Amino acid sequence: MPISNVHAQELLRTIQARAADDPEFTRCRPRSPDEEPLPQRLTGTTDYSAAGVAARRRLLEEFGVHTDCLNGIEAEPTPEQLSGNVENLIGFARIPVGAIGPLRVNGLHAHGDFFVPLATTEGALVASYHRGAYLASQCGGVTAACLTESVARAPCFVFHDMLAAGRFLTWAVGQFDRLQEAVAATSRYCCLQDVKPCLLGKELYLVLEFHPGDAAGQNMVTIASEAIVHKLLEGAPVAPEHWFLDGNLSGDKKATAAAFLTARGKKVVAEAVIDKKLVRKFLHTDVERMIRYWQISVLGGVQSGSIGVQGHYANALAALFIACGQDAACVSEAAIGVTRMDTTSEGDLYVSVSLPNLIVGTVGGGTRLPTARECLQMLDCVGTGKAPKFAEICAATVLAGEISIIGAMSAGDFGQAHAHYGRQNKPSEEQTP
């Protein structure tokens, strides 16, 4: 998953800024529980009683995490407050929210122990991520880095012939400063980073890459792209016969090879090393067998034509997106990536995840709604300056899930786990009305 020189320079500036405060990057170094104790773990995974729920809420409150909106103490938003979020409102879909953790993250932006909210109706999902978070945290945590940030739109201009398209292109590539001014007029947060032309006969696509600030940026870059198109049309040496705001080259809300090979959204990588003794104790398998299963899954993914190879990124991201007010449709592109496993020289399990298209934000869109805001507050990810932090927590959560599912597959526990957690307990005869 290579990145452009523009994004490489952005990454270099981020690292230099962090190094100025922390020359040895100690914030990214694993921290064992012996060195820095972990908060108390959420317990009672299978306790579905009201008392069990209340106990988990009390534990979270001890760490400053409040769930007033999630448990209905605060009123739901009025229809007027939902302007800009939904049309033809008829009500609300209420989805259960579980929490995992603590999950220790040692990132460029996210540094600490987090209780992560996951909205889902799939039994076994929260339990699986909770197990992976425990293992990773017991071994020092997950090291994570948000490397690049960008969102693209790709307007297309249709000309009479290829020569006209080439003439327009030759002129357009020299207009970058003017295009930046047009973008700045639409938003003080949106910034045009790069323009990548693609000439296909008489059709010219311009892949516009933007930095969206702390927003996910889908609407922001749409408005900015339209401003760029009108700016280009104002002084063009040759007018296109037609133009379209997006020619479907941007990869928006689709799993595409192009998006996988470039940087779209936030590109995040994360890694952890899991002690072989803990693999045996909690995953009921061994490092060699987990790596063997990972190899088998890579071969299966290649045969199926998978874009990237991983276990179940979509489970974590869909649950996080819904809980935290993200655009759930972006899971289609955010959930592609690569999981990597290896053995360390000490025989422990090395695991890493790479996500090239994490479209997330901490301002705008659904993040302003009460339950989403409360879930983001659980992670200290509300508002400006928090989007890269949220992206690193997402990647760390994804990694926890990869540890757990690959462990379950290699141990032969996968079906049993779903039979245990994924089926509703049948009421006894005494409970039956």
Side-chain angles (χ1 to χ4, degrees):
M1 292 172 281
I3 59 176
S4 69
N5 181 61
V6 171
H7 292 123
Q9 292 296 324
E10 177 191 344
L11 173 60
L12 179 60
R13 287 191 294 270
T14 299
I15 293 176
Q16 288 174 334
R18 293 294 178 186
D21 299 327
D22 183 8
E24 297 182 1
F25 272 89
T26 56
R27 67 182 290 119
C28 295
R29 178 176 58 81
R31 296 165 291 136
S32 72
D34 292 335
E35 176 186 1
E36 186 175 328
L38 285 160
Q40 182 180 338
R41 189 185 186 211
L42 283 172
T43 57
T45 304
T46 57
D47 184 352
Y48 297 100
S49 68
V53 174
R56 287 188 285 273
R57 287 174 178 163
R58 284 195 299 271
L59 176 59
L60 292 174
E61 287 175 359
E62 292 178 9
F63 296 98
V65 175
H66 300 288
T67 57
D68 293 341
C69 295
L70 290 173
N71 64 40
I73 293 176
E74 292 191 7
E76 62 190 21
T78 65
E80 291 78 12
Q81 291 174 315
L82 294 170
S83 173
N85 290 108
V86 69
E87 298 77 43
N88 291 352
L89 177 70
I90 60 170
F92 297 86
R94 291 172 173 82
I95 299 175
V97 177
I100 67 168
L103 173 59
R104 177 159 289 179
V105 184
N106 314 300
L108 284 176
H109 304 275
H111 187 76
D113 301 316
F114 301 94
F115 294 97
V116 183
L118 299 175
T120 183
T121 56
E122 180 187 348
L125 187 147
V126 172
S128 179
Y129 282 88
H130 194 44
R131 179 172 74 158
Y134 178 78
L135 283 169
S137 299
Q138 288 296 315
C139 297
V142 179
T143 299
C146 180
L147 303 179
T148 62
E149 301 177 67
S150 68
V151 181
R153 271 275 174 262
C156 180
F157 303 86
V158 182
F159 295 88
H160 175 69
D161 54 31
M162 186 171 65
L163 291 178
R167 185 180 173 193
F168 182 94
L169 171 58
T170 301
W171 170 82
V173 294
Q175 305 300 309
F176 192 80
D177 290 343
R178 291 182 63 229
L179 301 186
Q180 283 185 316
E181 292 174 2
V183 172
T186 68
S187 169
R188 55 181 173 152
Y189 301 107
C190 190
C191 175
L192 179 65
Q193 293 181 310
D194 204 358
V195 179
K196 296 178 179 178
C198 177
L199 186 61
L200 186 67
K202 63 180 182 178
E203 285 85 33
L204 171 64
Y205 298 79
L206 292 180
V207 181
L208 309 174
E209 293 186 353
F210 302 88
H211 191 298
D214 285 284
Q218 305 287 63
N219 291 337
M220 180 186 291
V221 304
T222 296
I223 296 169
S225 296
E226 187 164 30
I228 284 177
V229 168
H230 288 298
K231 180 65 71 173
L232 288 173
L233 295 176
E234 285 176 7
V238 55
E241 294 183 347
H242 309 285
W243 64 269
F244 304 94
L245 188 57
D246 195 294
N248 206 26
L249 188 59
S250 65
D252 183 26
K253 298 182 181 178
K254 287 169 281 291
T256 66
F260 179 72
L261 291 172
T262 59
R264 174 173 164 77
K266 292 171 174 59
K267 176 179 172 63
V268 192
V269 295
E271 67 175 8
V273 175
I274 310 301
D275 189 297
K276 56 181 178 291
K277 296 178 182 178
L278 295 185
V279 169
R280 294 192 191 100
K281 182 176 180 180
F282 293 101
L283 298 179
H284 317 121
T285 184
D286 56 49
V287 173
E288 292 75 17
R289 188 168 176 82
M290 286 187 68
I291 292 175
R292 181 57 179 148
Y293 176 74
W294 168 72
Q295 293 170 335
I296 291 296
S297 70
V298 170
L299 293 174
V302 169
Q303 293 179 82
S304 71
S306 171
I307 301 176
V309 181
Q310 35 82 18
H312 62 154
Y313 288 13
N315 268 333
L317 296 177
L320 265 167
F321 280 22
I322 294 169
C324 296
Q326 308 299 304
D327 188 337
C330 290
V331 171
S332 58
E333 56 185 307
I336 67 175
V338 174
T339 294
R340 170 91 166 84
M341 285 191 168
D342 205 347
T343 309
T344 69
S345 57
E346 293 80 16
D348 297 323
L349 176 68
Y350 172 86
V351 55
S352 71
V353 297
S354 300
L355 296 91
N357 300 301
L358 202 50
I359 305 284
V360 295
T362 54
V363 301
T367 65
R368 66 186 181 89
L369 300 181
T371 56
R373 189 175 184 85
E374 196 165 75
C375 287
L376 287 170
Q377 285 173 338
M378 290 178 65
L379 306 171
D380 185 30
C381 286
V382 173
T384 57
K386 302 291 188 177
K389 177 180 181 178
F390 181 50
E392 290 179 355
I393 294 171
C394 288
T397 305
V398 163
L399 185 143
E402 295 297 277
I403 293 169
S404 188
I405 195 172
I406 292 174
M409 286 292 191
S410 62
D413 293 340
F414 186 72
Q416 181 182 352
H418 281 75
H420 180 66
Y421 290 104
R423 287 182 175 175
Q424 188 174 19
N425 295 326
K426 294 182 179 179
S428 65
E429 292 182 5
E430 292 78 9
Q431 295 172 316
T432 304

